[in-house]
Short mmCIF file of all heavy atoms in Angstrom, two decimals:
data_model
loop_
_atom_site.label_atom_id
_atom_site.label_comp_id
_atom_site.label_asym_id
_atom_site.label_seq_id
_atom_site.Cartn_x
_atom_site.Cartn_y
_atom_site.Cartn_z
N VAL A 661 -23.55 1.78 14.35
CA VAL A 661 -22.15 2.26 14.43
C VAL A 661 -21.16 1.13 14.40
O VAL A 661 -21.28 0.14 15.22
CB VAL A 661 -21.92 3.10 15.74
CG1 VAL A 661 -20.52 3.72 15.81
CG2 VAL A 661 -22.98 4.17 15.86
N ALA A 662 -20.28 1.12 13.46
CA ALA A 662 -19.25 0.07 13.33
C ALA A 662 -17.85 0.60 13.12
O ALA A 662 -17.69 1.82 12.81
CB ALA A 662 -19.60 -0.86 12.09
N ALA A 663 -16.90 -0.21 13.43
CA ALA A 663 -15.53 0.28 13.27
C ALA A 663 -14.62 -0.79 12.77
O ALA A 663 -14.76 -1.97 13.10
CB ALA A 663 -14.93 0.78 14.62
N THR A 664 -13.72 -0.51 11.94
CA THR A 664 -12.65 -1.37 11.46
C THR A 664 -11.31 -0.70 11.48
O THR A 664 -11.21 0.51 11.56
CB THR A 664 -12.88 -1.84 9.97
OG1 THR A 664 -12.97 -0.64 9.16
CG2 THR A 664 -14.13 -2.56 9.80
N GLN A 665 -10.27 -1.58 11.62
CA GLN A 665 -8.94 -1.01 11.64
C GLN A 665 -8.01 -1.69 10.66
O GLN A 665 -8.11 -2.91 10.56
CB GLN A 665 -8.33 -1.13 13.05
CG GLN A 665 -7.02 -0.52 13.28
CD GLN A 665 -6.53 -0.34 14.73
OE1 GLN A 665 -7.16 -0.87 15.58
NE2 GLN A 665 -5.47 0.20 14.93
N SER A 666 -7.22 -0.95 10.01
CA SER A 666 -6.11 -1.51 9.10
C SER A 666 -4.82 -0.83 9.47
O SER A 666 -4.71 0.40 9.27
CB SER A 666 -6.56 -1.17 7.64
OG SER A 666 -5.61 -1.65 6.77
N GLY A 667 -3.97 -1.57 10.11
CA GLY A 667 -2.69 -1.01 10.60
C GLY A 667 -3.08 -0.06 11.68
O GLY A 667 -3.86 -0.29 12.63
N SER A 668 -2.66 1.23 11.57
CA SER A 668 -2.92 2.19 12.59
C SER A 668 -4.08 3.14 12.11
O SER A 668 -4.53 4.11 12.88
CB SER A 668 -1.76 3.07 12.90
OG SER A 668 -1.27 3.73 11.68
N LYS A 669 -4.73 2.76 10.96
CA LYS A 669 -5.95 3.64 10.52
C LYS A 669 -7.17 2.97 10.87
O LYS A 669 -7.34 1.81 10.82
CB LYS A 669 -5.78 3.75 8.95
CG LYS A 669 -6.86 4.71 8.35
CD LYS A 669 -6.68 4.73 6.89
CE LYS A 669 -7.61 5.75 6.36
NZ LYS A 669 -7.47 5.96 4.93
N VAL A 670 -8.09 3.80 11.50
CA VAL A 670 -9.39 3.35 11.96
C VAL A 670 -10.50 3.98 11.13
O VAL A 670 -10.40 5.21 10.77
CB VAL A 670 -9.55 3.72 13.47
CG1 VAL A 670 -10.88 3.38 13.94
CG2 VAL A 670 -8.51 3.07 14.30
N LEU A 671 -11.46 3.30 10.80
CA LEU A 671 -12.57 3.85 10.06
C LEU A 671 -13.87 3.46 10.90
O LEU A 671 -14.08 2.38 11.22
CB LEU A 671 -12.77 3.14 8.67
CG LEU A 671 -14.08 3.50 7.92
CD1 LEU A 671 -14.12 5.05 7.65
CD2 LEU A 671 -14.17 2.80 6.65
N ILE A 672 -14.61 4.55 11.32
CA ILE A 672 -15.85 4.46 12.06
C ILE A 672 -16.88 4.75 11.02
O ILE A 672 -16.90 5.80 10.43
CB ILE A 672 -15.82 5.38 13.24
CG1 ILE A 672 -14.66 4.97 14.25
CG2 ILE A 672 -17.21 5.31 13.91
CD1 ILE A 672 -14.54 5.95 15.33
N GLN A 673 -17.88 3.93 10.97
CA GLN A 673 -19.11 4.15 9.99
C GLN A 673 -20.28 4.18 10.82
O GLN A 673 -20.56 3.35 11.68
CB GLN A 673 -19.05 3.06 8.94
CG GLN A 673 -17.96 3.13 7.97
CD GLN A 673 -18.05 2.13 6.93
OE1 GLN A 673 -18.30 0.94 7.24
NE2 GLN A 673 -17.87 2.58 5.69
N MET A 674 -21.18 5.11 10.51
CA MET A 674 -22.55 5.18 11.04
C MET A 674 -23.50 5.07 9.86
O MET A 674 -23.49 5.85 8.93
CB MET A 674 -22.75 6.48 11.76
CG MET A 674 -21.87 6.62 12.96
SD MET A 674 -22.15 8.16 13.88
CE MET A 674 -20.85 8.09 15.04
N HIS A 675 -24.30 4.04 9.82
CA HIS A 675 -25.28 3.79 8.78
C HIS A 675 -26.68 4.05 9.29
O HIS A 675 -27.01 3.62 10.36
CB HIS A 675 -25.27 2.33 8.34
CG HIS A 675 -23.93 1.86 7.73
ND1 HIS A 675 -23.70 2.02 6.36
CD2 HIS A 675 -22.81 1.35 8.27
CE1 HIS A 675 -22.46 1.63 6.05
NE2 HIS A 675 -21.87 1.29 7.18
N ASP A 676 -27.45 4.68 8.46
CA ASP A 676 -28.85 4.99 8.74
C ASP A 676 -29.70 4.98 7.50
O ASP A 676 -29.37 5.56 6.54
CB ASP A 676 -28.83 6.46 9.36
CG ASP A 676 -30.17 6.91 9.72
OD1 ASP A 676 -31.12 6.29 9.52
OD2 ASP A 676 -30.32 8.09 10.19
N SER A 677 -30.73 4.22 7.58
CA SER A 677 -31.65 3.96 6.40
C SER A 677 -32.58 5.18 6.14
O SER A 677 -33.27 5.17 5.12
CB SER A 677 -32.46 2.72 6.56
OG SER A 677 -33.29 2.85 7.73
N SER A 678 -32.50 6.24 7.00
CA SER A 678 -33.49 7.28 6.84
C SER A 678 -32.85 8.60 6.50
O SER A 678 -33.60 9.67 6.30
CB SER A 678 -34.38 7.47 8.05
OG SER A 678 -33.61 8.08 9.11
N ILE A 679 -31.55 8.75 6.34
CA ILE A 679 -30.93 10.02 6.01
C ILE A 679 -31.39 10.47 4.70
O ILE A 679 -31.20 9.73 3.64
CB ILE A 679 -29.42 9.94 6.04
CG1 ILE A 679 -28.82 9.72 7.48
CG2 ILE A 679 -28.76 11.26 5.51
CD1 ILE A 679 -27.36 9.45 7.62
N ARG A 680 -32.02 11.58 4.67
CA ARG A 680 -32.55 12.12 3.39
C ARG A 680 -31.91 13.51 3.03
O ARG A 680 -31.79 13.82 1.88
CB ARG A 680 -34.03 12.35 3.43
CG ARG A 680 -34.85 11.12 3.72
CD ARG A 680 -34.87 10.17 2.47
NE ARG A 680 -35.55 8.94 2.76
CZ ARG A 680 -34.90 7.72 2.85
NH1 ARG A 680 -33.78 7.59 2.77
NH2 ARG A 680 -35.72 6.71 3.07
N ASN A 681 -31.54 14.24 4.03
CA ASN A 681 -30.90 15.58 3.80
C ASN A 681 -29.41 15.55 4.00
O ASN A 681 -28.90 15.91 5.04
CB ASN A 681 -31.67 16.59 4.58
CG ASN A 681 -31.21 18.00 4.22
OD1 ASN A 681 -30.22 18.30 3.51
ND2 ASN A 681 -32.04 18.95 4.61
N VAL A 682 -28.65 15.03 2.98
CA VAL A 682 -27.19 14.97 3.07
C VAL A 682 -26.58 16.31 3.23
O VAL A 682 -25.59 16.43 3.96
CB VAL A 682 -26.59 14.14 1.85
CG1 VAL A 682 -25.26 14.18 1.83
CG2 VAL A 682 -27.21 12.75 1.82
N HIS A 683 -27.13 17.36 2.63
CA HIS A 683 -26.55 18.66 2.66
C HIS A 683 -26.63 19.22 4.18
O HIS A 683 -25.71 19.81 4.59
CB HIS A 683 -27.29 19.61 1.76
CG HIS A 683 -27.08 19.25 0.26
ND1 HIS A 683 -25.92 19.30 -0.38
CD2 HIS A 683 -28.00 18.78 -0.62
CE1 HIS A 683 -25.93 18.90 -1.61
NE2 HIS A 683 -27.25 18.58 -1.79
N ALA A 684 -27.69 18.91 4.85
CA ALA A 684 -27.76 19.37 6.22
C ALA A 684 -26.82 18.61 7.12
O ALA A 684 -26.18 19.21 8.01
CB ALA A 684 -29.23 19.15 6.72
N LEU A 685 -26.62 17.29 6.73
CA LEU A 685 -25.61 16.47 7.43
C LEU A 685 -24.17 17.07 7.21
O LEU A 685 -23.46 17.14 8.21
CB LEU A 685 -25.72 14.98 7.06
CG LEU A 685 -24.93 14.06 7.72
CD1 LEU A 685 -25.20 14.00 9.21
CD2 LEU A 685 -25.11 12.65 7.15
N ILE A 686 -23.94 17.37 6.09
CA ILE A 686 -22.57 17.92 5.77
C ILE A 686 -22.38 19.21 6.47
O ILE A 686 -21.33 19.53 7.17
CB ILE A 686 -22.37 18.10 4.26
CG1 ILE A 686 -22.36 16.79 3.50
CG2 ILE A 686 -21.18 19.00 3.93
CD1 ILE A 686 -22.38 16.80 1.97
N SER A 687 -23.42 20.09 6.56
CA SER A 687 -23.33 21.41 7.17
C SER A 687 -23.04 21.13 8.71
O SER A 687 -22.25 21.85 9.27
CB SER A 687 -24.60 22.17 7.05
OG SER A 687 -24.54 23.34 7.71
#
């Protein structure tokens, strides 16, 4: 889990090498 900020906008990212079912994640 990482985060960056540009001005007042924040981006949080979660990286996982094993995600295989993107459709289930979206759901």
Side-chain angles (χ1 to χ4, degrees):
V661 183
T664 56
Q665 184 166 2
S666 177
S668 59
K669 187 174 183 178
V670 175
L671 173 62
I672 299 170
Q673 293 182 310
M674 297 182 187
H675 295 271
D676 178 0
S677 60
S678 73
I679 292 177
R680 297 291 179 250
N681 192 342
V682 174
H683 296 293
L685 185 60
I686 290 169
S687 178

